[in-house]
Amino acid sequence: MARQSNSLSWYQAVCQYVDMKWPKAAATYRKTIVESLTPATVVMLDDEPGKPKIALIRSALNNWILNTPRREQEGKPDDIDGTIRWIKRHTAPLSQVLDPETARKLHDSVVSKLDGKPLARSVARQRRMILNNFLSYCVERGWLTTNPVREIKWTAPKPSRAIDRRRVANPIQVRTLLREVRTTRRSGKRLYACYAAMYFAGLRPEEAVNLNVDNLILPDPKWNDERQEWVHDWGEIYVDEATPHAGSAWTDSGRPRDRRGLKHREQGEGRSAPCPPELTAILREHLDQFGTGPEGELFVGDAGGEVPAITWHRVWRAAREATFTKPVAATPLAGRPYDLRHAAVSTWLNAGMDPTEVAEWAGHSVEVLLQVYAKCLDGRDRVSKAKVQRALGHG
């Protein structure tokens, strides 16, 4: 066993670990495993003459070596093929991780950015956990006698689960953004209802993009004689599946999005989200104008396929640039589509809703809800200051 552990290379061990994890891991987690073990593998390479450029090494590790189905795939680019052969020959023995200096370098590589600065707390903790899991797997297999990284003392950056209040847009700002989305050339009209669902129903992006006509309960509009118009009522959205974007290299289907259960819930366990009258009208209009995809999907591209992730972000950036002045656009306000969900939940809380009900709608525990989402809307502080001024007798 001692002879075997001394001859086993880091390359062989890390490939076996990835292959063991691959079948049951979600696509996004597969990608995270690889992103964690790539910098660690770089540490375990020697500096012999002929070493490829570091960017090429990282590309070979990220996109080929640590991707189980692609590792033995034919037709790799010549520079990648040569880099892979070099890595195989120049990876240190796994036993070298027992050296304290090497163990420290491994640890620091996974909790730091490429420039050496610390990663965000949540990212660093996850990557450190993956390195720990890999080395513990090596102990379990008898390749190592101990996991040296477990003994390394490390203090994670101070946690802050709360959302940056500067990101949270108020209803006027959101509606203005949504109008701009609708007028954005090419894909804006098709995606308008999806962004609206993130805001009015508080859906996560991976839940909203996966909406199907079967998820919707939309009451018929009623004619209002007094207002001389059709009016809509509250509906309901039942979500039971999400499709987070991982990239086609990481999914079993070869599609960019991975189909999986809802966050924090068992597979097949769904939840109901509100569909206010305004959203009911938007969804009905979307269905009337665009219909659905072949399997009832609400949001499909112009050619009928899945909307690329780059399109979602391009439309949002264009709408944001058209809505905000340059100084405001330089702030985090509604910087990402996910911020529509933050704005939704903050609006519900500021409206005085019972946190238990808000947590149910949002798909969170009450504890997490109050830690993360209980942020004031943009401009709410001015309302509070005005109340204080009136209390002080200043009108």
Side-chain angles (χ1 to χ4, degrees):
M1 184 178 295
R3 285 195 302 272
Q4 181 186 4
S5 62
N6 285 332
S7 63
L8 188 73
S9 73
W10 170 280
Y11 176 93
Q12 293 170 309
V14 80
C15 287
Q16 288 194 43
Y17 177 75
V18 170
D19 292 350
M20 180 273 294
K21 297 293 287 187
W22 192 274
K24 294 184 179 180
T28 49
Y29 190 56
R30 292 169 179 170
K31 189 176 180 180
T32 302
I33 291 173
V34 172
E35 289 171 346
S36 305
L37 295 179
T38 288
T41 303
V42 170
V43 170
M44 299 298 288
L45 300 176
D46 63 36
D47 292 313
E48 292 296 316
K51 184 175 184 177
K53 291 183 179 179
I54 189 65
L56 200 53
I57 289 174
R58 288 182 176 277
S59 177
L61 289 167
N62 262 313
N63 301 316
W64 301 93
I65 293 173
L66 300 181
N67 184 305
T68 297
R70 300 188 76 191
R71 187 184 309 128
E72 304 302 329
Q73 188 174 310
E74 299 291 336
K76 299 182 184 71
D78 290 342
D79 56 351
I80 291 293
D81 204 37
T83 300
I84 292 173
R85 289 198 301 270
W86 188 93
I87 290 172
K88 286 181 179 180
R89 294 194 305 268
H90 294 270
T91 308
L94 177 64
S95 57
Q96 189 171 315
V97 306
L98 299 177
D99 171 63
E101 185 177 348
T102 301
R104 170 56 73 174
K105 287 181 180 178
L106 284 171
H107 174 273
D108 291 349
S109 73
V110 300
V111 298
S112 306
K113 299 178 183 178
L114 291 179
D115 59 8
K117 295 180 180 178
L119 287 164
R121 175 186 172 89
S122 59
V123 178
R125 284 172 63 91
Q126 186 176 41
R127 292 191 178 185
R128 187 177 191 266
M129 178 194 70
I130 289 171
L131 177 62
N132 257 317
N133 289 347
F134 164 58
L135 294 176
S136 294
Y137 171 76
C138 293
V139 173
E140 176 189 326
R141 294 296 303 270
W143 301 334
L144 290 175
T145 55
T146 186
N147 176 356
V149 171
R150 283 191 181 277
E151 308 304 319
I152 294 177
K153 297 187 184 302
W154 175 69
T155 302
K158 187 177 180 180
S160 177
R161 301 190 71 175
I163 299 302
D164 184 347
R165 64 177 298 167
R166 297 175 300 164
R167 289 190 170 277
V168 184
N170 63 41
I172 293 175
Q173 292 165 332
V174 172
R175 286 190 174 92
T176 306
L177 278 166
L178 291 178
R179 282 197 297 270
E180 287 296 338
V181 164
R182 195 172 192 175
T183 60
T184 301
R185 293 183 60 185
R186 294 196 60 181
S187 302
K189 287 184 178 180
R190 285 184 170 273
L191 304 185
Y192 165 65
C194 185
Y195 291 118
M198 294 182 208
Y199 178 61
F200 290 109
L203 301 184
R204 297 180 176 91
E206 62 266 29
E207 297 168 347
V209 300
N210 189 53
L211 282 180
N212 189 288
V213 69
D214 293 335
N215 299 128
L216 309 178
I217 299 176
L218 304 178
D220 293 329
K222 298 178 182 177
W223 180 256
N224 186 302
D225 288 328
E226 184 178 339
R227 293 163 55 180
Q228 288 295 294
E229 63 180 10
W230 292 98
V231 295
H232 296 268
D233 203 347
W234 283 80
E236 184 178 333
I237 299 175
Y238 185 79
V239 288
D240 56 2
E241 198 174 52
T243 52
H245 184 272
S248 57
W250 308 102
T251 63
D252 293 329
S253 65
R255 294 181 176 181
R257 292 187 176 275
D258 188 28
R259 195 168 294 278
R260 57 190 297 186
L262 299 184
K263 193 173 182 179
H264 307 308
R265 294 184 183 240
E266 296 294 329
Q267 184 69 36
E269 181 185 357
R271 79 172 194 279
S272 293
C275 185
E278 191 170 350
L279 180 58
T280 299
I282 291 171
L283 290 172
R284 278 198 167 277
E285 182 181 2
H286 177 87
L287 289 168
D288 289 343
Q289 186 172 3
F290 299 109
T292 64
E295 297 180 7
E297 313 97 310
L298 260 63
F299 307 114
V300 295
D302 293 335
E306 187 175 294
V307 180
I310 192 171
T311 302
W312 292 98
H313 294 291
R314 177 185 59 79
V315 169
W316 187 251
R317 283 196 304 269
R320 197 171 175 275
E321 288 171 6
T323 300
F324 298 145
T325 62
K326 284 188 177 180
V328 175
T331 71
L333 181 63
R336 309 164 302 171
Y338 204 112
D339 292 327
L340 290 169
R341 171 174 161 85
H342 299 329
V345 180
S346 295
T347 299
W348 297 340
L349 290 169
N350 277 280
M353 276 188 61
D354 181 351
T356 304
E357 185 69 25
V358 174
E360 180 62 30
W361 280 2
H364 267 303
S365 68
V366 175
E367 178 185 9
V368 169
L369 175 83
L370 296 178
Q371 287 178 351
V372 177
Y373 291 105
K375 306 300 292 182
C376 289
L377 298 176
D378 184 67
R380 185 63 182 249
D381 58 336
R382 293 193 293 273
V383 175
S384 299
K385 289 174 182 176
K387 290 180 179 178
V388 171
Q389 282 291 83
R390 287 196 295 272
L392 293 173
H394 296 296

